[in-house]
Amino acid sequence: MKIHEYQAKAVLAESGVPVPKGRRAQTAQEARAIAEELGGKVVVKAQIHAGGRGKGGGVKLANSADEAERAASEIIGMQLVTHQTGPDGQKVKSVLVEEQMQVERELYLSVILDSAIGWPVIIASAAGGMDIETVAAETPEKIVRVAIDPATGYQPHHGREVAFALALTGDQLRPTLAVVGGLVKAYMTNDASLAEINPLVVTADGRVLALDAKMTFDDNALYRHPQVVELRDKDEEDPLEVQAQDAGISNYVKLDGNIGCVVNGAGLAMSTMDVIKYAGGEPANFLDIGTVNDPARVVNSFKVILADPAVKAILINIFGGMARTDVIAQGVVEAMTTMNLRQPVVVRLAGTNVEEGRRIIAESGLPIIVADDLGEAAQKAVEAAAVVA
Ligand code: GDP
Ligand code: MN
């Protein structure tokens, strides 16, 4: 789950990371009032769940309350396109109005889970700012990585290593250690998967603070962070993905193809997508239905898939372990008899209670295309989708 910059800054501030003074505004008038409180010289920043706002025209410096109001009226309501939003962009609903900083240096600092080693790593670079992707691609040696052993946790030497790599020594050492320690704490205590400050700045008066902030949280740990869940902004998420979550589906990601997939298990879902591609088709989604022992969940997954107008065929691929294929078969029959389905449905069942599952499908009298293995199922789904298209 992602959150907005203004929310991430509040989370970081709670862990001791200094951030500029400021507040969020939903109207230009509100932005003006905040700018007046802050003395006029402010920066007005679009709040959307995507980076690259500066280059897209979503970050504006204002030198008076008048200018802040004008900047906010330009940004609020705009369709902001950045390299992270996709070509349609994202509609801006609010702005963050903050005191303007006299920036001397722009650095990069983040904590992210390194899935290869299973440890969180601190990533830092003296070459921060809006082109960090280019730095990573062209001069990776300018990026420092410090891994944190989760068994012993954050240690002061981690912070010192980062501070020296960023050449933040002398008077800046102590504030830098507070920033690095605070960022790691915010990451750990909230079960984040990413906590990023880009840029971390050194100001003309020698302060070290987070000029930008981004946090992403591990969805599987949200149950133990109700205060994080409250920060969710569903308007920023794909509506189909929101519907899938509300329907209790473990994992749904919308894609660009036309074959809707219902699969149990993330690994099987990925191989199903591969095999569809191998058969010459394109999956419309990644969907891990989880361990289902309730036909209603199958019906819900059909609803989510069919809410995507691009879907031309549905492929059900279930390997029953803990999940019972007869229950899935009941769900498929229930979905097809209760919903007005135009798309052909291909079913491949294997594993627990498969004889019973196949019998339910066969005796339903519904036009279900049955396949014995995944290769055949993908082939049939691709052919069926081509006929409908
Ligand atoms: P992003 O483009 O979405 O990552 O948005 P950022 O919050 O990182 O802002 C983009 C850029 O605007 C930063 O890299 C800074 O160069 C600049 N910027 C933002 N706030 C200030 C400020 O208070 N003072 C100055 N001088 N520059 C700022
Ligand atoms: Mn940034």
Side-chain angles (χ1 to χ4, degrees):
M1 189 192 106
K2 293 180 182 173
I3 58 174
H4 289 291
E5 175 195 7
Y6 79 93
Q7 297 168 318
K9 279 179 166 160
V11 173
L12 292 186
E14 224 167 88
S15 295
V17 177
V19 300
K21 277 199 215 87
R23 271 190 295 124
R24 179 174 77 131
Q26 286 167 290
T27 64
Q29 289 72 24
E30 242 181 285
R32 176 191 191 86
I34 299 168
E36 272 165 4
E37 275 170 40
L38 295 172
K41 269 178 89 75
V42 293
V43 45
V44 180
K45 310 179 74 177
Q47 296 301 287
I48 57 169
H49 283 188
R53 297 162 302 163
K55 286 186 175 169
V59 177
K60 291 195 157 105
L61 298 179
N63 292 317
S64 66
D66 271 347
E67 279 181 34
E69 181 176 353
R70 200 173 323 127
S73 70
E74 284 164 15
I75 296 175
I76 296 172
M78 85 185 279
Q79 199 70 24
L80 180 54
V81 181
T82 81
H83 68 281
Q84 289 184 5
T85 58
D88 295 340
Q90 181 68 33
K91 187 167 176 121
V92 182
K93 291 184 304 174
S94 66
V95 290
L96 173 60
V97 182
E98 274 185 349
E99 56 176 333
Q100 221 182 87
M101 294 289 139
Q102 296 308 310
V103 176
E104 203 109 287
R105 294 182 63 201
E106 294 201 348
L107 315 163
Y108 177 91
L109 182 66
S110 69
V111 182
I112 190 165
L113 178 70
D114 183 332
S115 50
I117 57 173
W119 287 11
V121 288
I122 306 171
I123 297 179
S125 178
M130 293 197 272
D131 290 311
I132 190 68
E133 285 92 350
T134 316
V135 176
E138 290 170 13
T139 47
E141 69 279 2
K142 289 191 181 162
I143 294 175
V144 174
R145 302 163 55 89
V146 179
I148 302 169
D149 182 344
T152 42
Y154 179 76
Q155 305 291 328
H157 71 84
H158 295 130
R160 285 197 297 273
E161 198 175 326
V162 170
F164 288 118
L166 296 176
L168 292 170
T169 51
D171 287 348
Q172 282 155 359
L173 179 60
R174 194 186 284 269
T176 302
L177 296 181
V179 169
V180 180
L183 186 66
V184 174
K185 183 176 168 208
Y187 173 95
M188 296 289 192
T189 55
N190 293 295
D191 285 312
S193 44
L194 168 75
E196 181 185 70
I197 302 175
N198 186 35
L200 173 72
V201 296
V202 181
T203 61
D205 55 2
R207 287 187 290 160
V208 179
L209 44 75
L211 205 65
D212 189 10
K214 176 176 182 168
M215 288 191 82
T216 308
F217 301 91
D218 179 349
D219 292 337
N220 294 314
L222 285 176
Y223 73 93
R224 56 185 186 191
H225 300 291
Q227 78 292 354
V228 172
V229 175
E230 271 175 37
L231 304 177
R232 185 166 177 196
D233 181 355
K234 289 188 182 179
D235 289 353
E236 296 281 325
E237 298 173 19
D238 185 294
L240 286 175
E241 293 180 9
V242 172
Q243 189 187 340
Q245 276 178 27
D246 292 347
I249 292 162
S250 307
N251 228 321
Y252 170 87
V253 182
K254 185 179 157 20
L255 302 168
D256 296 330
N258 62 8
I259 298 176
C261 307
V262 178
V263 187
N264 67 325
L268 189 58
M270 285 201 261
S271 26
T272 303
M273 290 164 50
D274 283 350
V275 178
I276 288 173
K277 285 199 173 242
Y278 189 69
E282 288 291 337
N285 63 276
F286 169 95
L287 190 155
D288 169 13
I289 195 173
T291 299
V292 181
N293 282 310
D294 172 11
R297 188 108 66 89
V298 179
V299 177
N300 283 337
S301 65
F302 267 72
K303 284 185 185 152
V304 170
I305 285 181
L306 292 173
D308 176 359
V311 170
K312 297 278 190 279
I314 298 180
L315 169 56
I316 321 282
N317 182 29
I318 302 293
F319 189 90
M322 302 263 272
R324 285 167 41 193
T325 55
D326 55 325
V327 175
I328 307 275
Q330 279 167 22
V332 172
V333 170
E334 196 176 316
M336 290 181 71
T337 44
T338 55
M339 297 166 69
N340 183 18
L341 218 70
R342 293 173 296 104
Q343 295 87 338
V345 175
V346 179
V347 176
R348 179 258 178 167
L349 300 175
T352 307
N353 290 3
V354 67
E355 298 309 326
E356 179 64 7
R358 288 190 183 149
R359 192 186 59 76
I360 291 168
I361 300 282
E363 289 179 3
S364 69
L366 293 163
I368 298 172
I369 303 167
V370 177
D372 287 330
D373 60 46
L374 177 51
E376 183 193 341
Q379 194 65 47
K380 286 182 167 171
V382 172
E383 282 162 16
V387 172
V388 174

Coordinates of all heavy atoms in Angstrom, one line a residue, residues 140-181:
P140 N 26.4 3.3 -11.2 CA 26.0 2.6 -10.0 C 27.0 2.7 -8.9 O 26.6 2.5 -7.7 CB 25.7 1.1 -10.5 CG 26.4 1.0 -11.8 CD 26.5 2.4 -12.4
E141 N 28.2 2.9 -9.2 CA 29.3 3.0 -8.1 C 29.0 4.2 -7.2 O 29.6 4.3 -6.1 CB 30.7 3.1 -8.7 CG 31.0 4.3 -9.5 CD 30.5 4.3 -11.0 OE1 29.8 3.4 -11.4 OE2 30.8 5.3 -11.7
K142 N 28.2 5.1 -7.7 CA 27.8 6.3 -6.8 C 26.8 6.0 -5.8 O 26.3 6.9 -5.1 CB 27.4 7.5 -7.7 CG 28.5 8.1 -8.5 CD 28.0 9.4 -9.1 CE 29.2 10.0 -10.0 NZ 28.6 11.0 -10.9
I143 N 26.3 4.7 -5.8 CA 25.3 4.3 -4.8 C 25.8 3.3 -3.8 O 26.5 2.4 -4.1 CB 24.1 3.7 -5.6 CG1 23.4 4.8 -6.4 CG2 23.1 3.1 -4.6 CD1 22.3 4.3 -7.3
V144 N 25.6 3.6 -2.5 CA 26.1 2.8 -1.4 C 25.0 2.0 -0.8 O 23.9 2.5 -0.7 CB 26.7 3.8 -0.3 CG1 27.1 3.0 0.9 CG2 27.9 4.6 -0.9
R145 N 25.3 0.8 -0.5 CA 24.3 -0.1 0.1 C 24.8 -0.6 1.5 O 25.9 -1.1 1.5 CB 24.0 -1.3 -0.8 CG 23.5 -0.9 -2.2 CD 23.6 -2.1 -3.1 NE 22.9 -3.3 -2.6 CZ 21.6 -3.5 -2.8 NH1 20.9 -2.7 -3.6 NH2 21.1 -4.6 -2.3
V146 N 24.0 -0.5 2.5 CA 24.3 -1.0 3.8 C 23.2 -1.9 4.3 O 22.1 -1.4 4.5 CB 24.5 0.2 4.8 CG1 24.9 -0.4 6.2 CG2 25.6 1.1 4.3
A147 N 23.5 -3.2 4.4 CA 22.5 -4.2 4.8 C 22.4 -4.2 6.3 O 23.4 -4.1 7.0 CB 22.8 -5.5 4.2
I148 N 21.1 -4.4 6.8 CA 20.9 -4.5 8.2 C 20.4 -5.9 8.6 O 19.4 -6.4 8.1 CB 19.8 -3.5 8.7 CG1 20.2 -2.1 8.3 CG2 19.5 -3.6 10.2 CD1 19.0 -1.1 8.4
D149 N 21.2 -6.6 9.4 CA 20.9 -7.9 9.9 C 19.6 -7.8 10.8 O 19.7 -7.1 11.8 CB 22.0 -8.5 10.7 CG 21.7 -9.9 11.1 OD1 20.5 -10.3 11.1 OD2 22.7 -10.6 11.5
P150 N 18.5 -8.4 10.4 CA 17.3 -8.2 11.2 C 17.4 -8.8 12.6 O 16.6 -8.4 13.5 CB 16.2 -8.9 10.3 CG 16.9 -9.7 9.3 CD 18.3 -9.2 9.2
A151 N 18.3 -9.7 12.8 CA 18.4 -10.4 14.1 C 19.0 -9.4 15.1 O 18.7 -9.4 16.3 CB 19.3 -11.6 14.0
T152 N 19.9 -8.5 14.6 CA 20.5 -7.6 15.6 C 20.0 -6.2 15.4 O 20.1 -5.3 16.2 CB 22.1 -7.6 15.4 OG1 22.4 -7.6 14.0 CG2 22.7 -8.8 16.1
G153 N 19.4 -5.9 14.2 CA 18.7 -4.6 14.0 C 19.7 -3.5 13.7 O 20.9 -3.7 13.5
Y154 N 19.1 -2.3 13.7 CA 19.9 -1.1 13.3 C 21.0 -0.8 14.4 O 20.7 -0.9 15.6 CB 19.0 0.1 13.2 CG 19.7 1.4 12.8 CD1 20.2 1.6 11.5 CD2 19.9 2.4 13.8 CE1 20.8 2.8 11.2 CE2 20.6 3.5 13.5 CZ 21.0 3.7 12.2 OH 21.7 4.9 11.9
Q155 N 22.2 -0.6 13.9 CA 23.3 -0.2 14.8 C 23.9 1.1 14.4 O 23.9 1.5 13.2 CB 24.4 -1.3 14.7 CG 24.0 -2.7 14.9 CD 23.6 -3.0 16.4 OE1 24.1 -2.4 17.3 NE2 22.6 -3.9 16.6
P156 N 24.5 1.9 15.4 CA 25.0 3.2 15.0 C 26.1 3.1 13.9 O 26.2 4.1 13.1 CB 25.7 3.6 16.3 CG 25.0 2.9 17.4 CD 24.5 1.6 16.8
H157 N 26.8 2.0 13.7 CA 27.8 2.0 12.7 C 27.1 2.0 11.3 O 27.7 2.5 10.3 CB 28.7 0.8 12.8 CG 28.1 -0.6 12.6 ND1 28.0 -1.1 11.3 CD2 27.5 -1.5 13.4 CE1 27.4 -2.3 11.3 NE2 27.1 -2.5 12.6
H158 N 25.9 1.5 11.2 CA 25.2 1.6 9.9 C 25.0 3.1 9.5 O 25.3 3.5 8.4 CB 23.8 1.0 10.0 CG 23.8 -0.5 10.2 ND1 23.0 -1.1 11.2 CD2 24.4 -1.5 9.6 CE1 23.2 -2.4 11.2 NE2 24.1 -2.7 10.2
G159 N 24.6 3.9 10.5 CA 24.4 5.3 10.2 C 25.7 6.0 9.9 O 25.7 6.8 9.0
R160 N 26.7 5.7 10.6 CA 28.0 6.3 10.3 C 28.5 6.0 8.9 O 29.0 6.9 8.2 CB 29.1 5.9 11.4 CG 28.8 6.6 12.8 CD 30.1 6.5 13.6 NE 30.5 5.1 14.0 CZ 30.0 4.4 15.0 NH1 29.1 5.0 15.8 NH2 30.3 3.2 15.2
E161 N 28.3 4.7 8.5 CA 28.8 4.3 7.2 C 28.1 5.2 6.1 O 28.7 5.7 5.2 CB 28.5 2.8 7.0 CG 29.3 2.2 5.9 CD 29.1 0.7 5.8 OE1 28.9 0.1 6.8 OE2 29.1 0.2 4.7
V162 N 26.8 5.4 6.3 CA 26.0 6.2 5.4 C 26.4 7.6 5.4 O 26.6 8.2 4.4 CB 24.5 6.0 5.7 CG1 23.7 7.0 4.9 CG2 24.0 4.6 5.4
A163 N 26.6 8.2 6.6 CA 27.0 9.6 6.7 C 28.3 9.8 6.0 O 28.5 10.8 5.3 CB 27.1 10.0 8.2
F164 N 29.3 8.9 6.2 CA 30.6 9.1 5.6 C 30.4 9.0 4.0 O 31.0 9.8 3.3 CB 31.6 8.2 6.1 CG 32.0 8.6 7.5 CD1 31.8 7.7 8.6 CD2 32.6 9.8 7.8 CE1 32.2 8.1 9.9 CE2 32.9 10.2 9.1 CZ 32.7 9.4 10.1
A165 N 29.6 8.1 3.6 CA 29.4 7.9 2.2 C 28.8 9.2 1.5 O 29.1 9.5 0.4 CB 28.6 6.7 1.9
L166 N 28.0 9.9 2.3 CA 27.3 11.1 1.8 C 28.2 12.3 2.1 O 27.7 13.4 1.8 CB 26.0 11.2 2.4 CG 24.9 10.1 2.1 CD1 23.6 10.4 2.9 CD2 24.7 10.1 0.6
A167 N 29.4 12.1 2.7 CA 30.2 13.2 3.1 C 29.5 14.2 4.0 O 29.6 15.4 3.9 CB 30.8 14.0 1.9
L168 N 28.7 13.6 5.0 CA 28.0 14.5 6.0 C 28.7 14.3 7.3 O 28.4 13.4 8.1 CB 26.6 14.1 6.0 CG 25.7 14.4 4.8 CD1 24.4 13.8 4.9 CD2 25.6 15.9 4.6
T169 N 29.8 15.0 7.5 CA 30.6 14.8 8.7 C 30.6 16.1 9.5 O 29.9 17.0 9.2 CB 32.1 14.4 8.3 OG1 32.5 15.3 7.3 CG2 32.1 13.0 7.7
G170 N 31.5 16.2 10.5 CA 31.6 17.4 11.3 C 30.2 17.7 11.9 O 29.6 16.8 12.5
D171 N 29.8 19.0 11.8 CA 28.5 19.4 12.4 C 27.3 18.6 11.9 O 26.3 18.6 12.5 CB 28.3 20.9 12.2 CG 29.2 21.7 13.1 OD1 29.9 21.1 14.0 OD2 29.3 22.9 12.9
Q172 N 27.5 18.1 10.7 CA 26.3 17.5 10.0 C 26.2 16.0 10.4 O 25.2 15.4 10.1 CB 26.4 17.6 8.5 CG 26.0 19.0 8.1 CD 26.6 19.4 6.8 OE1 27.3 18.7 6.2 NE2 26.2 20.6 6.4
L173 N 27.2 15.5 11.1 CA 27.2 14.0 11.4 C 26.0 13.7 12.3 O 25.2 12.8 12.0 CB 28.5 13.6 12.1 CG 28.5 12.1 12.5 CD1 28.4 11.2 11.2 CD2 29.9 11.8 13.1
R174 N 25.9 14.4 13.4 CA 24.8 14.1 14.4 C 23.4 14.2 13.8 O 22.6 13.2 13.9 CB 25.0 15.0 15.6 CG 24.2 14.5 16.8 CD 24.2 15.5 17.9 NE 25.5 15.5 18.6 CZ 25.8 14.7 19.7 NH1 24.8 14.0 20.2 NH2 26.9 14.8 20.3
P175 N 23.1 15.3 13.1 CA 21.7 15.3 12.5 C 21.5 14.2 11.4 O 20.4 13.7 11.2 CB 21.6 16.7 11.8 CG 23.0 17.4 12.0 CD 23.7 16.6 13.0
T176 N 22.6 13.9 10.7 CA 22.5 12.8 9.7 C 22.2 11.5 10.3 O 21.3 10.7 9.9 CB 23.8 12.7 8.9 OG1 24.0 14.0 8.3 CG2 23.7 11.6 7.8
L177 N 22.9 11.2 11.5 CA 22.6 9.9 12.2 C 21.1 9.9 12.6 O 20.5 8.8 12.6 CB 23.5 9.8 13.4 CG 25.0 9.6 13.0 CD1 25.9 9.5 14.3 CD2 25.3 8.5 12.1
A178 N 20.6 11.0 13.0 CA 19.2 11.1 13.4 C 18.3 10.8 12.3 O 17.3 10.0 12.4 CB 18.9 12.5 14.0
V179 N 18.6 11.3 11.1 CA 17.8 11.0 9.9 C 17.8 9.6 9.5 O 16.8 8.9 9.3 CB 18.3 11.9 8.7 CG1 17.6 11.5 7.4 CG2 18.0 13.4 9.0
V180 N 19.0 9.0 9.4 CA 19.2 7.6 9.0 C 18.5 6.7 10.0 O 17.7 5.8 9.7 CB 20.7 7.2 8.8 CG1 20.8 5.8 8.4 CG2 21.3 8.1 7.8
G181 N 18.8 6.9 11.3 CA 18.2 6.1 12.4 C 16.6 6.2 12.3 O 15.9 5.2 12.5

